[in-house]
Amino acid sequence: MSSSSPLLPEGGGAEPTTKDQLKKGLRVCLFYLGTVFLVVFILAWCIQVFMYWVATNASGCSASALEGYDYPGGGVSEAGGASFNILPGISLLAEREPMWYGAAFDVIPSNEASTVAAAPAGTWWRTWGPIFATYTYEDVANSRTTVYMRRNLLRMGSSHTIARCDGQGPKVTFTEGSNFLANRVRKVIGMNQGMTFKIFMDDKLVAVAEETSHGFESLTFREEDSGRSESSSVLKERHFHGLYDLWLVKNDEKSILPNYVASATTLLLAFHTINHDATSKGAASNESPNFLEKPPPTLAAEQVLDEQQESSSSVTGQATAVAQAAEQAFASVAQKVADGASAEIREELPDRRQQPEEKKADQEAVDVAP
């Protein structure tokens, strides 16, 4: 006898298995995660474009804003004058207190003695961005933004572009390039000469920068063809005005690089040093010295301490009572001695009230005598 019930459920398909449900749930999760990632990515780039615009165009970093500008505060070298170098030949990079809108380093003219030679010529600003930070140089004379620096994306290792706001002069690229792997090996081994960077001017390799990662933090700039040292920078102080870093940047007069290149690249190392110190301090604070902590006393030890404190209090009270009794006895004896001495003195001394009467009687006797 045949059954009247259908062999397949209504709808013409089999019920979904657990595996099918997991696949469907996974696809839904991936869809929502991808949507969230896309929204965050677009939002991050929107914020980045806005912050970059604020740091550059909104601050006057444009060719029209700098047309005919004479760049006060710039040094002179064989490669060019103030309009070519923009920054002093010898300068100090002095860390400033970070503000809510960004961190900064003052550029202070210096001399061969590595001391302060004049008031600050300008300031390097770092403007935050969710993808990369933007660095700009603003002079003090007219508050003009003249140089900017930003990170190059999709490059292996550290890579930055340094350019003038007026669009003149060479575009400088400061990058690790093919030194990426060698730099990581030096860092792991702990070699004295740490990172090595290449410096391009309009896509032409003209110099290299060698970082010293141990001892004094420093950068040495050498010409690519001759190997001659062109510029250098070194961490001069770590307690400038009590708690800030101070870097010395020195450019040779025969250097083919503009002065702002050495200053800008030193700025990157300066911020890297600050961030590294902050990370090291945070790691050190998390490591608590447990071996110095005093373990909590046990119950028996607490009872012993209480008994010792009670015994000490009792002995102290008895000693105080004895001292008070001795003090009272001494005061009584001293009072008696003082009273006896006063009586003897009164007996020995004549009564001064009788002296005038005796003198008067003697005078009358003298007057009666013939």
Side-chain angles (χ1 to χ4, degrees):
M1 182 176 179
S2 62
S3 175
S4 60
S5 60
L7 297 177
L8 297 176
E10 295 182 0
E15 294 183 357
T17 62
T18 304
K19 184 177 181 180
D20 295 334
Q21 292 178 351
L22 290 176
K23 288 182 178 180
K24 182 179 179 180
L26 181 60
R27 285 195 298 268
V28 173
C29 290
L30 291 177
F31 172 77
Y32 283 110
L33 286 176
T35 303
V36 171
F37 175 79
L38 181 61
V39 171
V40 172
F41 180 78
I42 295 175
L43 182 61
W45 268 109
C46 291
I47 297 175
Q48 179 63 61
V49 171
F50 174 75
M51 297 302 296
Y52 182 76
W53 175 81
V54 169
T56 54
N57 295 79
S59 301
C61 182
S62 62
S64 59
L66 297 173
E67 186 176 358
Y69 195 56
D70 57 356
Y71 297 93
V76 178
S77 64
E78 293 184 0
S83 60
F84 175 80
N85 291 298
I86 300 180
L87 270 70
I90 305 177
S91 62
L92 298 171
L93 278 179
E95 180 188 0
R96 291 174 57 171
E97 182 180 2
M99 308 297 290
W100 65 270
Y101 48 82
F105 273 79
D106 284 330
V107 177
I108 306 174
S110 185
N111 47 36
E112 293 293 340
S114 304
T115 58
V116 175
T123 302
W124 279 106
W125 296 97
R126 184 180 69 172
T127 304
W128 173 85
I131 300 176
F132 60 85
T134 305
Y135 305 86
T136 53
Y137 175 76
E138 177 188 4
D139 64 16
V140 172
N142 300 290
S143 297
R144 298 289 185 90
T145 302
T146 56
V147 182
Y148 73 92
M149 176 174 60
R150 64 171 180 84
R151 184 174 182 178
N152 298 321
L153 302 179
L154 303 178
R155 305 292 176 87
M156 183 176 293
S158 176
S159 179
H160 290 78
T161 294
I162 309 169
R164 299 164 57 108
C165 292
D166 58 4
Q168 304 296 322
K171 181 172 288 188
V172 180
T173 302
F174 180 77
T175 180
E176 289 187 72
S178 59
N179 296 323
F180 176 79
L181 294 178
N183 288 340
R184 298 306 178 274
V185 172
R186 291 193 189 97
K187 184 176 181 180
V188 172
I189 297 177
M191 298 180 65
N192 184 57
Q193 198 272 306
M195 310 285 280
T196 300
F197 300 88
K198 297 180 179 181
I199 301 176
F200 294 85
M201 294 178 64
D202 290 334
D203 299 329
K204 180 182 178 182
L205 180 61
V206 296
V208 295
E210 299 171 345
E211 175 201 1
T212 302
S213 56
H214 296 280
F216 283 98
E217 296 279 352
S218 64
L219 274 176
T220 302
F221 301 83
R222 303 185 186 278
E223 189 177 350
E224 174 65 17
D225 296 333
S226 63
R228 181 178 59 87
S229 177
E230 293 196 335
S231 307
S232 65
S233 61
V234 64
L235 179 57
K236 187 175 183 292
E237 293 183 25
R238 303 236 59 187
H239 302 285
F240 184 66
H241 286 184
L243 67 162
Y244 299 116
D245 288 353
L246 183 68
W247 291 77
L248 172 65
V249 183
K250 185 175 181 181
N251 294 276
D252 192 273
E253 292 184 355
K254 298 181 180 180
S255 175
I256 62 175
L257 297 173
N259 293 343
Y260 61 81
V261 173
S263 183
T265 52
T266 302
L267 183 72
L268 295 175
L269 181 58
F271 277 116
H272 171 75
T273 303
I274 294 174
N275 296 334
H276 178 73
D277 291 345
T279 304
S280 301
K281 291 179 181 178
S285 62
N286 293 332
E287 298 178 359
S288 57
N290 296 327
F291 61 92
L292 295 178
E293 295 181 359
K294 183 178 180 180
T298 60
L299 181 60
E302 291 180 354
Q303 293 177 353
V304 172
L305 290 175
D306 293 340
E307 293 177 357
Q308 291 179 352
Q309 291 177 356
E310 292 178 358
S311 176
S312 176
S313 300
S314 177
V315 173
T316 303
Q318 294 177 0
T320 303
V322 172
Q324 291 178 352
E327 184 178 356
Q328 292 177 358
F330 178 78
S332 177
V333 172
Q335 184 65 31
K336 292 180 180 180
V337 172
D339 294 342
S342 299
E344 293 178 357
I345 293 173
R346 284 196 297 270
E347 291 177 357
E348 293 177 359
L349 293 177
D351 190 357
R352 294 185 178 181
R353 291 176 298 180
Q354 296 178 359
Q355 290 180 0
E357 296 179 356
E358 294 177 355
K359 290 182 179 180
K360 184 177 181 181
D362 294 339
Q363 185 65 31
E364 292 178 353
V366 172
D367 294 339
V368 173

